[in-house]
Amino acid sequence: MSLYYVQKYLYQLNRDPAVQGAYRSDPVAAVTSFGRDGQVATLTDEEIVALTAPDIGLLYHLGVNGQILMHFAAFHGIEWTDYLQRMRQGLRDHGPVREGVYALTTDL
Amino acid sequence: MSLVFAGVCSHAPGITGRADLADPVARDGLYDAFDWMRAELEATRPDALVVVAAEHFANFFMNNMPAFAMGMADHYQGPIEDPGWLMIDRFTAPGNRQLSERLIQEVMQTVDIAYAEEWLFDHGIAVPLHFLTPRFDLPVVPVNINCQGPPLTPLHRAWTFGEAVRRAADAVPERIALVGTGGISHWPATPDSGKINEEWDREFLDRWCRNDRDGLLGYDDLTIYADAGQGGFEIRTFLTVSAAAGGAAGTVHFYRPIPIFAVGCTIATYALE
Ligand SMILES: [Fe+2]
């Protein structure tokens, strides 16, 4: 569980066309190479899957800041209501938001 | 010369990006209010526009998060978002590095800020500029207050920062306009998007218009989070403008909850001396 690095990858992706190009051509390779810092694994297998699928609902459940996630969903061309629905489905599948200040405040 | 304009506006990405999904009457009312604000701004003949924003991880991240940052460049680019999603084309906005440097030096006398010689605008600045300087012909000085990555900039420090911005604006020969942008209550980028606490917003705007320092600094992040959502943390930008306005009285020219825009859309100004 390394939420900080999940968000850091998305932060870089959201703002940097070069990172976007690498992700588009081979998302698993791009995310995996980011996910290793020397001998230290900064991303778990679950997080790599969430980032590459992409699994918007799982990323939301893990606690990715909503603004970072919103830009990532837009990058993938996910339509607005579909994006909101994917977050809700993530909570149904995985449980409440684990961390951060973007939790659901109404009934699921 | 002095601060010649002080106001606040919303910056939600849906204002441009989801315009086609909004109630046309509500949307056009907001757009008219933005047009009015642009006319007011232009009438003050500003030499530069200081935009106090609450960015959403376009430039600053938790590897090195400043409480306050000010831009110091001759050009800025935006938006970082997909232009087709935000419905704002990629643009280059003019800055004024030399003016920024003088403002920053004065602000630094009382507030420790970061400065940045490069800065990518996200919707937090791109949306206001799209309406207020649509030809990108007015030099911009971007400012960021950390409203996103806790621990957040304390509210009372946003006030102190606003006082420093006023002092700096008054110290330079240029005519300075100041616009704060943010949401009041809202729960953006969550499944609750569209939830708006209008009662809370109206109480907040009442304190803002009275420039009630104690009332504005009486908020705290726990109750803001409970009553106004994490989007409410962005009131820091509004408080900065209040402090810079130095006790002037404010007027709300437009306020209307527009759920598809995810915020109570707001246009308000202070009547400077
Ligand atoms: Fe915002």
Side-chain angles (χ1 to χ4, degrees):
Chain A
M1 176 61 194
S2 38
L3 177 62
Y4 171 80
Y5 286 103
V6 173
Q7 296 186 99
K8 186 174 181 186
Y9 180 75
L10 291 173
Y11 160 70
Q12 294 178 349
L13 179 78
N14 287 341
R15 71 191 300 276
D16 187 343
V19 179
Q20 291 168 9
Y23 179 92
R24 282 199 197 283
S25 64
D26 189 342
V28 173
V31 171
T32 304
S33 69
F34 172 86
R36 290 207 69 80
D37 181 10
Q39 296 303 306
V40 181
T42 56
L43 296 176
T44 66
D45 290 346
E46 180 189 44
E47 289 162 348
I48 291 172
V49 169
L51 286 168
T52 54
D55 190 334
I56 299 296
L58 177 55
L59 291 168
Y60 180 60
H61 160 74
L62 291 175
V64 170
N65 179 286
Q67 300 286 342
I68 291 175
L69 188 58
M70 179 174 72
H71 290 173
F72 182 58
F75 168 76
H76 277 287
I78 297 168
E79 182 271 328
W80 182 252
T81 52
D82 182 21
Y83 150 71
L84 297 178
Q85 189 54 39
R86 289 186 193 209
M87 285 193 286
R88 286 189 179 279
Q89 191 59 45
L91 302 183
R92 289 188 196 102
D93 293 344
H94 306 289
V97 173
R98 281 196 207 160
E99 276 191 52
V101 293
Y102 278 76
L104 184 76
T105 61
T106 55
D107 292 337
L108 185 55
Chain B
M1 192 213 124
S2 63
L3 188 69
V4 297
F5 181 88
V8 291
C9 67
S10 305
H11 68 221
I15 291 172
T16 49
R18 296 191 293 282
D20 58 328
L21 300 177
D23 167 14
V25 173
R27 176 196 64 207
D28 293 346
L30 173 62
Y31 285 12
D32 286 348
F34 264 119
D35 285 344
W36 174 88
M37 190 178 191
R38 179 175 68 241
E40 290 289 303
L41 175 70
E42 288 174 351
T44 64
R45 295 176 289 108
D47 296 310
L49 172 62
V50 176
V51 182
V52 180
E55 75 152 35
H56 321 80
F57 305 107
N59 304 274
F60 307 108
F61 190 67
M62 279 74 78
N63 58 349
N64 193 1
M65 178 62 80
F68 302 101
M70 291 180 71
M72 194 170 75
D74 283 325
H75 300 284
Y76 303 98
Q77 256 108 41
I80 68 156
E81 295 91 343
D82 173 19
W85 178 80
L86 189 58
M87 297 300 283
I88 295 177
D89 290 336
R90 297 230 190 276
F91 61 84
T92 297
N96 182 335
R97 188 192 184 287
Q98 207 262 357
L99 170 63
S100 279
E101 185 171 345
R102 285 180 281 125
L103 292 171
I104 289 164
Q105 280 186 332
E106 181 56 41
V107 170
M108 278 181 168
Q109 298 305 313
T110 49
V111 184
D112 299 324
I113 60 168
Y115 62 85
E117 295 202 45
E118 52 183 292
W119 194 305
L120 298 173
F121 292 170
D122 73 8
H123 64 265
I125 292 181
V127 170
L129 292 187
H130 171 78
F131 290 102
L132 298 178
T133 70
R135 294 176 303 279
F136 299 103
D137 52 0
L138 180 63
V140 175
V141 178
V143 175
N144 191 61
I145 303 176
N146 176 22
C147 304
Q148 282 292 340
L152 305 177
T153 307
L155 294 173
H156 69 93
R157 294 299 291 164
W159 192 275
T160 302
F161 176 67
E163 292 174 332
V165 168
R166 174 59 180 268
R167 201 182 59 245
D170 287 347
V172 297
E174 288 87 349
R175 300 171 64 84
I176 304 296
L178 177 67
V179 170
T181 92
I184 321 179
S185 74
H186 64 317
W187 286 256
T190 74
D192 296 321
S193 178
K195 178 178 168 184
I196 294 158
N197 185 344
E198 180 172 348
E199 188 183 345
W200 195 92
D201 285 354
R202 292 195 182 278
E203 169 63 27
F204 174 82
L205 288 172
D206 181 59
R207 297 183 196 189
W208 190 87
C209 286
R210 287 186 284 109
N211 209 322
D212 174 5
R213 180 183 185 279
D214 292 342
L216 291 168
L217 295 184
Y219 291 107
D220 66 86
D221 284 334
L222 278 178
T223 53
I224 291 171
Y225 187 63
D227 298 336
Q230 90 286 342
F233 295 152
E234 292 182 340
I235 64 169
R236 285 159 172 78
T237 64
F238 283 46
L239 266 56
T240 295
V241 175
S242 299
T251 304
V252 175
H253 300 280
F254 185 89
Y255 172 82
R256 180 166 179 163
I258 305 180
I260 191 63
F261 293 168
V263 72
C265 295
T266 307
I267 300 284
T269 57
Y270 280 119
L272 299 173
E273 291 299 304

